Amino acid sequence: MRLFFINREDEKRLMLNFSVPAGDLLFREDDPADCAYLVEEGWVEIYTERTGWRQSLSLIGPGEIFGEMGVIDGSPRTATAVAAEDCKLLRITVDQFQALLGRSEPFHAELLVKLVARFREAQRAWMDGSLLPRQESSAMGPGYSMLARHRDLACALDRGEIVPYLQPIVDLTTGRWRGFEALARWQSPVSGLRSPCDFLPLAERTGLIRRIDLHIAERVMRAIGSIGGTAPPYININFSAWHFKDDRLLPNIRDLLEKTGLDAHRMRVELTETLMLDDPNRALRIMSDLEAIGIKLALDDFGTGYSSLSVLHRMPIHVLKIDRTLVTGVLAEGRPRSVMRSLISLSRELGMEIVIEGVEDTETATILEQLGCNVGQGFLFAKPMPMDQAIAAWKAMTPLLSNG
């Protein structure tokens, strides 16, 4: 016995993939927009009716999406859709569509909504035979906010407000500074010194990080290159994954080396594990090219990802920077200390230098040295400081080794 019935319209709504015979109605004008459709086979006609007059708007074929406007802006259907011939369709629910929009940049999502609104107004005016309406200003949403912040950051970069800070990398045995890591700070005349988390995520999302990286790199390479002596410092410089997307990292670094006069052997390029996993073949090629001109490659934040070990045996990595999260707990015997001991041993077997990040107390530094790690970085030794201050401190500590 059948306890309930499902009509054809309800059946379509319950299935993601379904077939539609020619002439079947998919939705009517003014219906609520609860989904969009992708045409896999066949054709769908989109039309509207005004006082008994039917106006065909378009024929939608394989690979095309229709019904998406109402899903984007939440408005009712502005036209009717019917199968012009036997079709196979894929239904895209509101939740699925909104999830995809949610992964896009706020500016792009907001722009899409505004474009849909303008298209609706133009379509309505065309159907009614009236003039195009004047567009009223709408509320500025998160997309506008991101665009304005991007503009402010770009202007700050042009004004020289994005400045390099240096944090020393230290020999745990002797306490002597070996080199520095270059970091970006925003020295705003309005809000004061701003930390990287205030502006670098935005720069990463918009691609402005490329300009920031090259700006910081040129300034620190020029300054570090001016320090001579028998044991001059090296400089670690972070480069975003954006530089790998257009294959400009190697030529840009070549240009910087020539412009600043820094010896390539005194430069270390810090890269993230994510960059290497996204496109391993391209990453390997570019890293090998950098290694060939004498630059050392450092894997930053090791221990924060899921596939770090798979990266170590494939990529030409010279320096392993252990993230501060793995330092927690090494003061006592247990798993954290065992993990650290194993990583130090592994790095030795692979011929890699190991640098521990986030060293903040003498007890931790002592344990790390006992475990076999000779190099560290953290607030115990020094916080990131303005570049001129860091270089002055270097020269004061090594007067006989520096001719600068």
Side-chain angles (χ1 to χ4, degrees), residues 275-308:
L275 182 152
M276 302 176 197
L277 295 175
D278 286 346
D279 193 342
N281 293 329
R282 173 179 286 188
L284 176 60
R285 172 174 54 81
I286 296 176
M287 292 170 69
S288 298
D289 289 341
L290 291 172
E291 182 186 38
I293 65 174
I295 291 175
K296 288 188 175 182
L297 300 162
L299 178 58
D300 195 18
D301 299 330
F302 182 84
T304 59
Y306 296 99
S307 306
S308 297

Side-chain angles (χ1 to χ4, degrees), residues 140-161:
M140 296 177 180
Y144 174 82
S145 174
M146 189 184 76
L147 189 61
R149 289 167 54 217
H150 172 83
R151 175 206 60 202
D152 293 343
L153 180 55
C155 290
L157 182 59
D158 292 337
R159 292 191 298 264
E161 296 174 13

Side-chain angles (χ1 to χ4, degrees), residues 113-304:
V113 171
K114 292 183 183 296
L115 289 175
V116 167
R118 292 180 184 177
F119 179 82
R120 288 193 185 283
E121 291 293 340
Q123 182 187 43
R124 189 176 299 113
W126 176 68
M127 291 301 300
D128 296 341
S130 60
L131 296 176
L132 287 176
R134 184 187 297 268
Q135 291 291 325
E136 298 291 338
S137 297
S138 59
M140 296 177 180
Y144 174 82
S145 174
M146 189 184 76
L147 189 61
R149 289 167 54 217
H150 172 83
R151 175 206 60 202
D152 293 343
L153 180 55
C155 290
L157 182 59
D158 292 337
R159 292 191 298 264
E161 296 174 13
I162 309 301
V163 297
Y165 268 47
L166 300 182
Q167 185 174 31
I169 300 171
V170 180
D171 189 309
L172 297 182
T173 302
T174 65
R176 180 176 178 271
W177 293 6
R178 289 189 176 188
F180 300 96
E181 179 181 357
L183 304 164
R185 297 290 187 270
W186 184 350
Q187 186 64 63
S188 169
V190 177
S191 54
L193 187 66
R194 300 179 62 176
S195 68
C197 62
D198 288 339
F199 63 94
L200 287 187
L202 172 66
E204 280 282 1
R205 292 167 66 185
T206 62
L208 189 60
I209 190 66
R210 283 182 288 197
R211 285 185 56 200
I212 292 176
D213 286 347
L214 296 175
H215 168 76
I216 295 296
E218 180 173 354
R219 291 194 59 182
V220 299
M221 289 170 68
R222 195 179 300 279
I224 296 298
S226 68
I227 303 175
T230 57
Y234 55 76
I235 183 67
N236 285 32
I237 303 176
N238 296 276
F239 284 93
S240 164
W242 279 90
H243 297 275
F244 279 65
K245 294 181 179 180
D246 54 10
D247 283 340
R248 289 295 304 166
L249 182 59
L250 178 64
N252 282 336
I253 289 180
R254 284 184 181 274
D255 291 343
L256 288 170
L257 291 170
E258 182 177 355
K259 186 184 300 183
T260 63
L262 180 71
D263 185 339
H265 293 87
R266 292 173 60 191
M267 181 178 182
R268 298 181 174 192
V269 171
E270 292 200 12
L271 305 170
T272 63
E273 174 191 350
T274 301
L275 182 152
M276 302 176 197
L277 295 175
D278 286 346
D279 193 342
N281 293 329
R282 173 179 286 188
L284 176 60
R285 172 174 54 81
I286 296 176
M287 292 170 69
S288 298
D289 289 341
L290 291 172
E291 182 186 38
I293 65 174
I295 291 175
K296 288 188 175 182
L297 300 162
L299 178 58
D300 195 18
D301 299 330
F302 182 84
T304 59

